[in-house]
Every structure is written in C-alpha cells, then in structure tokens.
Amino acid sequence: MLRRLVTVTAMLAGFIALPAQALEFRSVKETGVALYEAPALSAKKLFVVSRYYPVEVLSSQKEWSRVRDATGGIAWIPLAALSSQRWLLVTADQAVVRDAPAADAKPLFSVARDGVLQWQEAPKDGWVRIKHRDGSGGYARISDLWGL
C-alpha cells in the first residue's frame, strides 16, 4: 500500500513540474476563409473571416487546425489558410497607439474595435510594440488587444 502511495505521489509531482504549454496564435492568410464545425470541407460553415484575423490554435490534425477566436468560439480551419505572422485584434472600443510604452507617452493614432495590428515584439510591462498595416507603429496596451 505504501509503495503504491509513493508511486502515485511521484507521478503527481512529475505532472506538477511540467512546464505550461505556450499558446500558439496564428492569423488568417487571406480574406474570405470559412471556419467549419468539423475538419472537412463538407462540414457546416460557421462563419467567414478576413485576412489577418488572429486565432489561437488548440490542436492540429493532418490538414486542419482546431482554433479559438477572440469571442471564445471554437471551429476548424484548413491548415493552409493560416499564416505564422502574428496579428492582434483590438477588443477595446479603441486602442490608442503611443510613441513609447507609457500611458503618458504621445498618442500617435488609434484603432477602433475589431481592427488588427501586427505584433512586433514580446509584451513588456503591460505594453506591446505593434505596427499598423499602413506601416506606422508604436506601442499599445495589451489589455486592449487579443492574440498575445
């Protein structure tokens, strides 16, 4: 009995010591890509997304990825429709992009809800360096964005 308890305790300790798996975010390569209920083109289409739309990859199998969007919806997308380029979705009413990672830094421009910004560097101290599709860039609060 004691031997079994020691074995179970050791197994649990091993699971606790495992590192957390990093989230994998990707973006949609082109406009008009359908997200499906199941991993098959014959499955029900749930909705269509635009280019740069970010998704979190939950799992992949063969030519399909199971993904979650910013609303928490889960669907399947063809693996070939995903890009490794990281884009972030504005989830606040408006994300103000500033010239430095600080609330009192000069505002450069703003992006309305559901707009997208390209991820440039890992977040630090609540801010992330981004770039707009027009080439302008700066820093935005991570609390205003989804896809990190």
Side-chain angles (χ1 to χ4, degrees), residues 23-28 35 47-50 52-58 66-75 77 82 87-92 112-117 142-148:
L23 300 177
E24 179 185 358
F25 287 95
R26 312 260 317 258
S27 60
V28 176
L35 294 170
F47 47 95
V48 176
V49 292
S50 297
Y52 306 125
Y53 189 78
V55 293
E56 176 189 358
V57 176
L58 302 174
R66 186 170 180 247
V67 298
R68 179 186 354 249
D69 70 4
T71 68
I74 296 176
I77 187 169
L82 293 175
W87 288 82
L88 308 173
L89 184 72
V90 175
T91 54
R113 179 184 300 274
D114 297 327
V116 291
L117 296 164
I142 61 171
S143 59
D144 293 343
L145 306 168
W146 184 85
L148 294 166

Side-chain angles (χ1 to χ4, degrees), residues 16-54:
I16 292 169
L18 290 175
Q21 185 175 2
L23 300 177
E24 179 185 358
F25 287 95
R26 312 260 317 258
S27 60
V28 176
K29 281 185 186 178
E30 54 195 50
T31 296
V33 173
L35 294 170
Y36 296 86
E37 188 173 62
L41 293 176
S42 59
K44 178 183 175 186
K45 291 180 183 177
L46 299 175
F47 47 95
V48 176
V49 292
S50 297
R51 185 175 187 196
Y52 306 125
Y53 189 78

Side-chain angles (χ1 to χ4, degrees), residues 52-133:
Y52 306 125
Y53 189 78
V55 293
E56 176 189 358
V57 176
L58 302 174
S59 64
S60 295
Q61 64 179 41
K62 296 185 182 179
E63 299 152 3
W64 290 86
S65 287
R66 186 170 180 247
V67 298
R68 179 186 354 249
D69 70 4
T71 68
I74 296 176
W76 290 89
I77 187 169
L79 187 58
L82 293 175
S83 168
S84 59
Q85 192 172 48
R86 294 275 301 266
W87 288 82
L88 308 173
L89 184 72
V90 175
T91 54
D93 288 336
Q94 189 174 75
V96 177
V97 178
R98 300 182 179 275
D99 70 348
D104 59 352
K106 177 183 170 186
L108 301 173
F109 59 93
S110 62
V111 179
R113 179 184 300 274
D114 297 327
V116 291
L117 296 164
Q118 188 178 13
W119 180 82
Q120 296 292 295
E121 290 177 3
K124 184 177 178 188
D125 299 327
W127 294 86
V128 62
R129 187 166 161 244
I130 55 81
K131 185 167 71 171
H132 191 272
R133 288 180 290 180

